[in-house]
Amino acid sequence: MLLAAVYDAVRGQLGLSPYLVPVIGDPGGFAVITEPDARPIMERLAANGSTWRNEFAPRVAFNLPRYKQGTIERVTAPILFCVAENDQQALPEFAVQVVEKANRAEILRYPVGHFQIYVGKTREKAIVNQVEFLKRHLISSS
């Protein structure tokens, strides 16, 4: 993917159209995400008239946001962080290490991959957990 990002960045510098690559592909294929459950879940999520396209310009990899040390400690609002423990796209361990430094953080762990939290029973459980979190922090007791 690095070579594709360099090629795309050079095209951008030359004023050419982006070199697009697939976001999601089959395991072992050429795409950013090749997790086994990714394709069927994204196809399901993108159904019903979605304008999402399975492509992106890989030059964005050179400008991805990075966590700046000390940022989370300044957050005073309650934070709910839902961790997909088997995530292959984002490092759950790093995210948990960062969130544990927050003043008012709650971490919920789900034994699923990156996309599985958006469908089925895990999605329903995550929604219930999120609503409970919001009720605890937004509804004042009179």
Side-chain angles (χ1 to χ4, degrees):
M1 193 58 61
L2 178 60
L3 189 57
V6 170
Y7 178 69
D8 183 43
V10 169
R11 289 182 60 85
Q13 290 295 316
L14 296 173
L16 300 173
S17 62
Y19 171 70
L20 302 174
V21 299
V23 176
I24 297 175
D26 295 319
F30 179 71
V32 177
I33 300 170
T34 58
E35 198 171 311
D37 293 337
R39 182 182 292 279
I41 291 174
M42 280 306 296
E43 286 173 354
R44 183 171 157 193
L45 293 173
N48 301 324
S50 170
T51 59
W52 183 80
R53 295 176 5 202
N54 187 23
E55 59 188 11
F56 88 113
R59 68 182 80 165
V60 302
F62 295 118
N63 296 308
L64 291 174
R66 305 273 193 266
Y67 174 71
K68 184 177 178 184
Q69 200 69 16
T71 303
I72 195 105
E73 293 87 348
R74 295 192 315 263
V75 176
T76 58
I79 300 170
L80 175 63
F81 190 77
C82 298
V83 178
E85 292 180 316
N86 302 326
D87 197 325
Q88 296 176 12
Q89 310 314 310
L91 298 173
E93 300 84 12
F94 174 75
V96 167
Q97 288 174 352
V98 170
V99 173
E100 285 177 337
K101 296 175 185 176
N103 296 312
R104 300 172 63 194
E106 293 180 35
I107 301 171
L108 297 176
R109 300 168 191 264
Y110 303 88
V112 297
H114 184 85
F115 292 94
Q116 293 166 327
I117 200 164
Y118 301 112
V119 295
K121 291 183 182 192
T122 303
R123 176 182 182 268
E124 299 306 317
K125 181 172 177 51
I127 290 171
V128 167
N129 294 151
Q130 292 165 10
V131 168
E132 289 170 352
F133 173 85
L134 291 170
K135 284 180 180 178
R136 278 195 315 276
H137 294 283
L138 296 178
I139 299 175
S140 62
S141 55
S142 303

